[in-house]
Amino acid sequence: MTFDTIILGAGAAGMMCASHCGGRVLVIDHAKAAGEKIRISGGGRCNFTNMYAGPGNFLSQNPHFCKSALARYTQWDFVDLVGRHGIAWHEKTLGQLFCDGSSKQIVQMLLDEMTRAGAELWLQTSVRDLRKTEYGFAIEVEREGQRQNLICRNLVLATGGKSIPKMGATGLAYDIAHQFELRVTDTRAALVPFTFSDGRFKELSGVSLPARLSNDRTSFDEALLFTHRGLSGPSVLQLSSYWHEGEAIRANLIPDLPLFDLLRDQRQTGGRKALTTELARHLPARLVDYLKHQIPMRGNLADQSDAALNDLVTALSNWSLTPSGTEGYRTAEVTLGGINTDELSSKTMEARDVPGLYAIGEAVDVTGWLGGYNFQWAWSSAHAAGTAIAAG
């Protein structure tokens, strides 16, 4: 069977690309349903983009690579598409846009766009062999227990990264890249919780508070969540993309709280109160109870000198921790790294030395922040490849 374009991967990038390629297009995926990661995203409501998406929200060995695709298909272009399909949405926080209803609406929208474009979708189909030919690519697949041989002029790698293997994630895009001698940068789990092997935060599991998580390169002000395995929450997930194994992180538990002034003022009017009692007005009580074994906070407010209060505030705003590791790909929202951007055209996403081979979405070494940025990269890179193929 002959197609103009075959797209490997029926996720966000793959389906988006299929609706723009033109010609006879086939999308292949080994899963039972298309868009499974879309379905589970955003608590089932899909954080489909971010109002503030721009190049500064992405990590890559080449921070300039994403600029072209993001500029030519913006978050507002995707919002317009969502609106044309009658999908209601809202901003939750920090520019994060979610469906009012279900993430399944986004999946159905992409399927409808594929149908409109005449693209075919084969699910539960596995790639068994792939090779370059004089005119394109020859692919052997297995579908419904039968082997089939396919031919295409263009091949698009949209299989994502290694994150959440229980959803079917594999390193197939990297394997194919290696086959065609495209370099792949080191990959690791990103947007992922930190773990501590000693289980030190078990008693705090479920406690959350606003915090500033930082290392020597960056910082994020969002919620921090203690878990039985370690630390999670948006601030932790964001910092994990910038963290290296063995590195210490810093937690500011009072980022926007003038705690020194509050405690000093309260010392004048309520000096008989225990210091821990007053702290529990500003921080979760379970956290205060935990920290009192590590940070001096004995006695009443009246017993505290300005120097002692200052030391306490310093300790709470610069708590140093060294994670044992992360929860890995099992729970990571994305994979950091991927197909080296030096191998691709930033305008078309086509491999420079392998005509007709394209890579888009998470398969590429472009990784977004938490908050809808990775979906926007999927839409933008897919649009870049699809329109380039259509113009072709």
Side-chain angles (χ1 to χ4, degrees):
M1 300 180 69
T2 301
F3 295 87
D4 295 301
T5 303
I6 291 179
I7 300 171
L8 303 184
M15 289 193 287
M16 183 70 169
C17 185
S19 66
H20 290 91
C21 290
R24 190 177 184 197
V25 179
L26 172 66
V27 180
I28 292 173
D29 201 297
H30 64 175
K32 293 181 180 180
E36 283 294 86
K37 282 192 177 180
I38 300 174
R39 182 182 61 80
I40 68 169
S41 67
R45 290 193 172 182
C46 187
N47 178 193
F48 55 81
T49 192
N50 195 291
M51 292 168 60
Y52 307 117
N57 306 114
F58 295 85
L59 292 79
S60 174
Q61 285 193 358
N62 178 0
H64 302 290
F65 179 84
C66 63
K67 291 180 177 179
S68 176
L70 291 172
R72 287 181 293 120
Y73 192 87
T74 72
Q75 58 269 44
W76 304 116
D77 292 315
F78 192 77
V79 167
D80 181 62
L81 176 63
V82 169
R84 293 202 306 272
H85 283 259
I87 300 173
W89 55 271
H90 62 278
E91 180 193 358
K92 187 174 181 181
T93 183
L94 300 174
Q96 300 170 26
L97 304 188
F98 288 78
C99 297
D100 286 357
S102 169
S103 57
K104 293 179 182 178
Q105 294 174 285
I106 299 295
V107 177
Q108 190 58 54
M109 176 190 77
L110 295 169
L111 290 171
D112 289 345
E113 286 291 301
M114 286 175 55
T115 299
R116 177 193 58 77
E120 296 182 52
L121 173 63
W122 289 5
L123 297 170
Q124 295 181 275
T125 302
S126 301
V127 176
R128 296 304 182 193
D129 188 53
L130 169 64
R131 59 188 175 84
K132 189 78 172 70
T133 68
E134 183 179 355
Y135 300 105
F137 301 87
I139 308 172
E140 182 183 6
V141 300
E142 184 172 339
R143 184 187 187 209
E144 298 176 349
Q146 301 293 320
R147 297 284 181 112
Q148 296 188 51
N149 294 309
L150 310 175
I151 296 173
C152 62
R153 186 172 73 252
N154 305 297
L155 178 66
V156 182
L157 306 182
T159 57
K162 300 177 182 178
S163 55
I164 319 182
K166 71 178 181 180
M167 301 296 293
T170 69
L172 178 61
Y174 312 140
D175 295 337
I176 294 173
H178 286 307
Q179 177 182 341
F180 292 110
E181 299 184 346
L182 303 185
R183 289 168 295 167
V184 177
T185 68
D186 291 339
T187 58
R188 60 182 174 87
L191 299 183
V192 62
F194 289 132
T195 58
F196 292 78
S197 58
D198 56 9
R200 69 182 71 179
F201 298 128
K202 283 183 179 179
E203 63 191 83
L204 290 176
S205 182
V207 172
S208 65
L209 73 162
R212 177 176 300 135
L213 268 286
S214 60
N215 58 14
D216 292 337
R217 290 174 295 285
T218 191
S219 66
F220 290 95
D221 285 41
E222 290 191 66
L224 166 66
L225 171 68
F226 294 91
T227 73
H228 68 286
R229 299 192 66 189
L231 299 176
S232 189
S235 62
V236 169
L237 300 188
Q238 296 280 37
L239 190 64
S240 71
S241 296
Y242 294 83
W243 179 78
H244 300 299
E245 191 169 350
E247 179 182 48
I249 63 172
R250 297 180 298 278
N252 182 346
L253 304 176
I254 50 172
D256 299 311
L257 188 68
L259 186 62
F260 178 83
D261 294 334
L262 292 170
L263 293 177
R264 187 175 58 180
D265 292 346
Q266 188 61 27
R267 185 178 61 187
Q268 303 301 317
T269 59
R272 292 183 180 181
K273 286 184 179 180
L275 175 59
T276 52
T277 300
E278 182 61 21
L279 279 176
R281 291 181 55 206
H282 306 290
L283 294 169
R286 284 167 59 193
L287 178 58
V288 172
D289 191 57
Y290 176 89
L291 290 173
K292 71 183 182 183
H293 301 294
Q294 304 179 42
I295 300 172
M297 52 180 75
R298 295 193 184 94
N300 297 331
L301 279 170
D303 303 324
Q304 313 301 317
S305 66
D306 283 0
L309 292 180
N310 190 65
D311 288 345
L312 172 62
V313 168
T314 299
L316 292 173
S317 59
N318 194 33
W319 187 21
S320 181
L321 300 162
T322 303
S324 304
T326 72
E327 292 191 5
Y329 291 119
R330 183 180 66 84
T331 60
E333 297 205 11
V334 292
T335 301
L336 188 72
I339 296 173
N340 193 312
T341 57
D342 288 346
E343 304 286 358
L344 307 173
S345 161
S346 62
K347 183 177 180 180
T348 66
M349 310 303 293
E350 185 176 18
R352 297 184 184 279
D353 296 327
V354 188
L357 180 65
Y358 297 77
I360 59 177
E362 192 182 348
V364 179
D365 175 29
V366 175
T367 304
W369 288 6
L370 182 73
Y373 298 100
N374 286 290
F375 274 132
Q376 185 57 45
W377 173 244
W379 316 137
S380 296
S381 60
H383 179 269
T387 53
I389 289 170

